[in-house]
Amino acid sequence: NAGVMQNPRHLVRRRGQEARLRCSPMKGHSHVYWYRQLPEEGLKFMVYLQKENIIDESGMPKERFSAEFPKEGPSILRIQQVVRGDSAAYFCASSPPSRAGSSGEQYFGPGTRLTVT
Amino acid sequence: SQKIEQNSEALNIQEGKTATLTCNYTNYSPAYLQWYRQDPGRGPVFLLLIRENEKEKRKERLKVTFDTTLKQSLFHITASQPADSATYLCALPTGSGNTGKLIFGQGTTLQVKP
Protein backbone atom coordinates (compact mmCIF):
# COMPACT_ATOMS: atom_id res chain seq x y z
CA ASN A 1 0.00 0.00 0.00
CA ALA A 2 1.72 3.13 -1.19
CA GLY A 3 1.90 6.01 1.23
CA VAL A 4 0.73 9.56 0.68
CA MET A 5 2.34 10.91 -2.47
CA GLN A 6 3.11 14.51 -3.18
CA ASN A 7 4.54 16.12 -6.26
CA PRO A 8 6.58 17.87 -7.12
CA ARG A 9 8.99 17.40 -4.23
CA HIS A 10 10.67 20.70 -5.03
CA LEU A 11 9.13 23.64 -6.86
CA VAL A 12 10.77 26.93 -7.78
CA ARG A 13 8.61 29.82 -8.88
CA ARG A 14 9.28 33.46 -9.59
CA ARG A 15 7.23 36.10 -7.86
CA GLY A 16 3.84 36.48 -9.51
CA GLN A 17 3.70 32.97 -10.94
CA GLU A 18 1.28 30.25 -9.92
CA ALA A 19 2.19 27.18 -7.90
CA ARG A 20 0.23 23.92 -8.05
CA LEU A 21 0.94 21.27 -5.47
CA ARG A 22 -0.52 17.79 -5.80
CA CYS A 23 -1.37 15.20 -3.21
CA SER A 24 -2.55 11.62 -3.69
CA PRO A 25 -3.84 10.18 -0.42
CA MET A 26 -3.27 6.63 0.70
CA LYS A 27 -5.51 4.07 -0.91
CA GLY A 28 -8.87 3.99 0.81
CA HIS A 29 -8.41 7.40 2.43
CA SER A 30 -10.99 10.01 1.52
CA HIS A 31 -9.91 12.79 3.89
CA VAL A 32 -7.06 15.11 3.01
CA TYR A 33 -5.38 17.83 5.06
CA TRP A 34 -2.87 20.45 3.96
CA TYR A 35 -0.30 21.97 6.33
CA ARG A 36 2.41 24.55 5.85
CA GLN A 37 5.74 24.56 7.63
CA LEU A 38 7.78 27.73 7.50
CA PRO A 39 11.50 27.65 8.30
CA GLU A 40 12.02 27.42 12.05
CA GLU A 41 8.27 27.23 12.66
CA GLY A 42 5.85 24.46 13.38
CA LEU A 43 3.27 22.86 11.16
CA LYS A 44 0.26 25.07 10.57
CA PHE A 45 -3.09 23.69 9.47
CA MET A 46 -4.42 25.14 6.25
CA VAL A 47 -7.41 23.16 4.99
CA TYR A 48 -9.31 19.90 5.42
CA LEU A 49 -11.10 18.35 2.46
CA GLN A 50 -13.17 15.34 1.64
CA LYS A 51 -14.01 14.26 -1.87
CA GLU A 52 -15.52 17.28 -3.64
CA ASN A 53 -16.02 19.15 -0.34
CA ILE A 54 -14.07 21.64 1.73
CA ILE A 55 -14.74 20.80 5.37
CA ASP A 56 -12.55 23.34 7.16
CA GLU A 57 -10.50 26.07 5.50
CA SER A 58 -9.93 28.18 8.58
CA GLY A 59 -6.14 28.10 8.12
CA MET A 60 -6.12 29.20 4.50
CA PRO A 61 -5.09 32.76 3.65
CA LYS A 62 -8.10 34.61 2.31
CA GLU A 63 -6.49 35.54 -0.96
CA ARG A 64 -4.42 33.72 -3.58
CA PHE A 65 -4.78 30.28 -1.97
CA SER A 66 -7.30 27.64 -2.95
CA ALA A 67 -7.65 23.89 -2.56
CA GLU A 68 -9.71 21.17 -4.14
CA PHE A 69 -10.15 17.44 -3.91
CA PRO A 70 -12.09 16.28 -6.97
CA LYS A 71 -14.00 13.07 -7.29
CA GLU A 72 -11.23 11.71 -9.47
CA GLY A 73 -7.58 12.55 -9.18
CA PRO A 74 -5.34 14.10 -6.57
CA SER A 75 -6.00 16.98 -4.22
CA ILE A 76 -4.55 20.27 -5.48
CA LEU A 77 -3.31 23.21 -3.46
CA ARG A 78 -3.07 26.22 -5.70
CA ILE A 79 -1.22 29.43 -4.89
CA GLN A 80 -1.69 32.29 -7.30
CA GLN A 81 0.71 35.20 -7.74
CA VAL A 82 3.25 33.76 -5.34
CA VAL A 83 5.32 36.01 -3.10
CA ARG A 84 8.57 35.29 -1.28
CA GLY A 85 6.68 34.78 1.97
CA ASP A 86 5.00 31.72 0.44
CA SER A 87 8.33 29.88 0.44
CA ALA A 88 7.81 26.94 2.77
CA ALA A 89 7.32 23.20 2.95
CA TYR A 90 3.75 22.17 2.22
CA PHE A 91 2.64 18.84 3.62
CA CYS A 92 -0.39 16.83 2.78
CA ALA A 93 -1.85 14.22 5.11
CA SER A 94 -4.67 11.74 4.73
CA SER A 95 -6.83 9.65 7.00
CA PRO A 96 -9.40 6.92 6.43
CA PRO A 97 -13.12 7.71 6.64
CA SER A 98 -13.73 5.69 9.79
CA ARG A 99 -11.25 7.72 11.75
CA ALA A 100 -11.58 11.16 10.33
CA GLY A 101 -12.78 13.67 12.86
CA SER A 102 -12.52 11.24 15.73
CA SER A 103 -9.21 10.00 17.00
CA GLY A 104 -7.33 8.71 14.01
CA GLU A 105 -3.78 9.44 13.14
CA GLN A 106 -2.91 11.27 9.99
CA TYR A 107 -0.47 9.91 7.44
CA PHE A 108 1.80 12.53 5.97
CA GLY A 109 3.41 12.78 2.59
CA PRO A 110 7.04 13.80 2.03
CA GLY A 111 6.09 17.41 1.36
CA THR A 112 6.63 19.89 -1.44
CA ARG A 113 9.29 22.49 -0.86
CA LEU A 114 8.29 25.70 -2.57
CA THR A 115 10.91 28.35 -3.21
CA VAL A 116 9.84 31.72 -4.55
CA THR A 117 12.62 33.74 -6.13
CA SER B 1 -6.76 31.06 22.13
CA GLN B 2 -5.57 27.46 22.11
CA LYS B 3 -1.86 27.12 22.53
CA ILE B 4 0.61 24.24 22.56
CA GLU B 5 4.10 24.58 23.94
CA GLN B 6 7.04 22.25 23.57
CA ASN B 7 10.53 22.91 24.79
CA SER B 8 12.18 24.68 21.88
CA GLU B 9 15.66 23.90 23.15
CA ALA B 10 17.24 20.77 21.74
CA LEU B 11 17.56 17.84 24.09
CA ASN B 12 20.95 16.13 24.07
CA ILE B 13 21.32 12.82 25.86
CA GLN B 14 23.67 9.87 25.94
CA GLU B 15 22.79 6.61 24.26
CA GLY B 16 21.02 4.24 26.62
CA LYS B 17 19.46 6.96 28.75
CA THR B 18 15.78 7.86 28.88
CA ALA B 19 14.68 10.93 26.95
CA THR B 20 11.70 12.87 28.30
CA LEU B 21 9.93 15.48 26.20
CA THR B 22 7.18 17.78 27.41
CA CYS B 23 4.04 19.10 25.75
CA ASN B 24 1.91 21.69 27.54
CA TYR B 25 -1.33 23.20 26.32
CA THR B 26 -3.65 25.97 27.45
CA ASN B 27 -7.23 27.10 26.90
CA TYR B 28 -8.14 23.69 25.70
CA SER B 29 -9.66 20.32 26.69
CA PRO B 30 -8.76 17.87 23.93
CA ALA B 31 -10.31 14.46 23.60
CA TYR B 32 -6.90 13.01 22.73
CA LEU B 33 -3.31 13.92 22.05
CA GLN B 34 -0.90 12.56 19.44
CA TRP B 35 2.87 12.38 19.12
CA TYR B 36 4.71 12.43 15.79
CA ARG B 37 8.31 12.10 14.75
CA GLN B 38 9.79 14.24 11.98
CA ASP B 39 13.18 13.71 10.37
CA PRO B 40 14.88 16.51 8.39
CA GLY B 41 13.37 16.91 4.94
CA ARG B 42 10.56 14.45 5.61
CA GLY B 43 6.93 14.50 6.65
CA PRO B 44 5.84 13.70 10.22
CA VAL B 45 5.26 10.08 11.15
CA PHE B 46 2.60 9.12 13.67
CA LEU B 47 3.89 7.42 16.82
CA LEU B 48 1.26 7.28 19.54
CA LEU B 49 -2.19 8.51 20.46
CA ILE B 50 -3.47 8.84 24.01
CA ARG B 51 -7.06 9.64 24.95
CA GLU B 52 -8.23 11.95 27.72
CA ASN B 53 -9.37 9.03 29.86
CA GLU B 54 -6.00 7.27 29.59
CA LYS B 55 -3.19 8.10 31.96
CA GLU B 56 -0.45 6.23 30.16
CA LYS B 57 0.22 4.47 26.87
CA ARG B 58 3.18 2.34 25.83
CA LYS B 59 4.57 1.12 22.54
CA GLU B 60 7.88 -0.72 22.57
CA ARG B 61 10.41 1.76 24.01
CA LEU B 62 7.95 4.65 23.93
CA LYS B 63 5.73 5.79 26.77
CA VAL B 64 3.28 8.68 26.80
CA THR B 65 1.45 10.13 29.78
CA PHE B 66 -1.49 12.52 29.68
CA ASP B 67 -2.42 14.69 32.66
CA THR B 68 -5.58 16.62 31.84
CA THR B 69 -5.42 18.48 35.16
CA LEU B 70 -1.94 19.80 34.51
CA LYS B 71 -2.73 20.06 30.79
CA GLN B 72 0.48 18.26 30.02
CA SER B 73 1.76 15.22 28.17
CA LEU B 74 5.15 13.63 28.69
CA PHE B 75 6.82 11.54 25.99
CA HIS B 76 9.52 9.11 27.09
CA ILE B 77 11.98 7.10 25.01
CA THR B 78 13.74 4.48 27.10
CA ALA B 79 17.12 2.95 26.20
CA SER B 80 17.57 5.69 23.62
CA GLN B 81 19.58 5.07 20.47
CA PRO B 82 21.27 7.43 17.99
CA ALA B 83 18.54 6.42 15.50
CA ASP B 84 16.00 8.10 17.80
CA SER B 85 17.54 11.48 16.95
CA ALA B 86 14.77 13.53 15.34
CA THR B 87 12.24 16.25 16.07
CA TYR B 88 9.20 15.14 18.05
CA LEU B 89 5.89 16.94 17.68
CA CYS B 90 2.80 16.81 19.82
CA ALA B 91 -0.54 17.49 18.21
CA LEU B 92 -4.06 18.14 19.43
CA PRO B 93 -7.36 18.04 17.58
CA THR B 94 -9.24 21.25 17.27
CA GLY B 95 -11.95 22.80 15.17
CA SER B 96 -15.66 22.68 15.71
CA GLY B 97 -17.46 19.42 15.17
CA ASN B 98 -14.30 17.39 15.67
CA THR B 99 -13.18 17.97 12.10
CA GLY B 100 -9.87 16.19 12.43
CA LYS B 101 -7.93 19.43 12.16
CA LEU B 102 -4.73 19.18 14.20
CA ILE B 103 -2.67 21.90 15.80
CA PHE B 104 0.98 21.08 16.34
CA GLY B 105 3.58 22.19 18.80
CA GLN B 106 6.82 23.56 17.41
CA GLY B 107 8.58 20.35 18.25
CA THR B 108 11.56 19.39 20.36
CA THR B 109 14.72 18.17 18.66
CA LEU B 110 16.31 15.16 20.32
CA GLN B 111 19.95 14.31 19.76
CA VAL B 112 21.15 10.97 21.10
CA LYS B 113 24.93 10.70 21.27
CA PRO B 114 26.68 7.34 21.00
Side-chain angles (χ1 to χ4, degrees), chain B residues 75-95:
Chain B
F75 177 81
H76 306 274
I77 306 175
T78 58
S80 59
Q81 305 166 1
D84 295 327
S85 299
T87 297
Y88 292 86
L89 310 170
C90 69
L92 297 169
T94 184

Side-chain angles (χ1 to χ4, degrees), chain B residues 7-109:
Chain B
N7 192 344
S8 58
E9 290 183 14
L11 179 62
N12 295 297
I13 64 168
Q14 207 66 34
E15 182 177 10
K17 300 293 185 184
T18 296
T20 299
L21 286 68
T22 305
C23 176
N24 295 295
Y25 58 93
T26 56
N27 300 323
Y28 196 33
S29 296
Y32 59 88
L33 182 147
Q34 300 179 2
W35 284 89
Y36 288 79
R37 167 182 173 146
Q38 186 173 25
D39 290 280
R42 295 180 176 267
V45 175
F46 172 81
L47 296 175
L48 277 170
L49 177 150
I50 186 165
R51 300 177 194 275
E52 60 180 338
N53 60 350
E54 297 175 317
K55 295 293 184 186
E56 181 180 297
K57 199 102 177 251
R58 292 176 185 261
K59 179 182 176 182
E60 298 173 352
R61 293 184 296 110
L62 308 180
K63 184 179 86 171
V64 172
T65 62
F66 194 12
D67 189 326
T68 54
T69 301
L70 290 178
K71 295 188 181 296
Q72 180 182 81
S73 175
L74 298 179
F75 177 81
H76 306 274
I77 306 175
T78 58
S80 59
Q81 305 166 1
D84 295 327
S85 299
T87 297
Y88 292 86
L89 310 170
C90 69
L92 297 169
T94 184
S96 59
N98 216 10
T99 64
K101 166 184 172 183
L102 292 176
I103 54 172
F104 283 83
Q106 280 198 260
T108 298
T109 298

Side-chain angles (χ1 to χ4, degrees), chain A residues 5-54:
Chain A
M5 299 177 69
Q6 290 188 248
N7 67 81
R9 294 292 307 277
H10 299 274
L11 181 61
V12 180
R13 285 286 178 265
R14 286 195 290 270
R15 279 179 297 170
Q17 291 185 317
E18 178 180 289
R20 281 187 180 232
L21 288 63
R22 294 175 183 77
C23 169
S24 296
M26 286 181 68
K27 187 176 181 181
H29 288 191
S30 57
H31 298 256
V32 166
Y33 312 82
W34 285 94
Y35 294 86
R36 176 165 64 176
Q37 190 170 40
L38 292 164
E40 305 306 319
E41 292 189 19
L43 279 165
K44 303 293 184 188
F45 169 82
M46 298 182 74
V47 62
Y48 163 38
L49 311 104
Q50 295 178 18
K51 286 284 188 180
E52 300 183 278
N53 285 305
I54 296 175

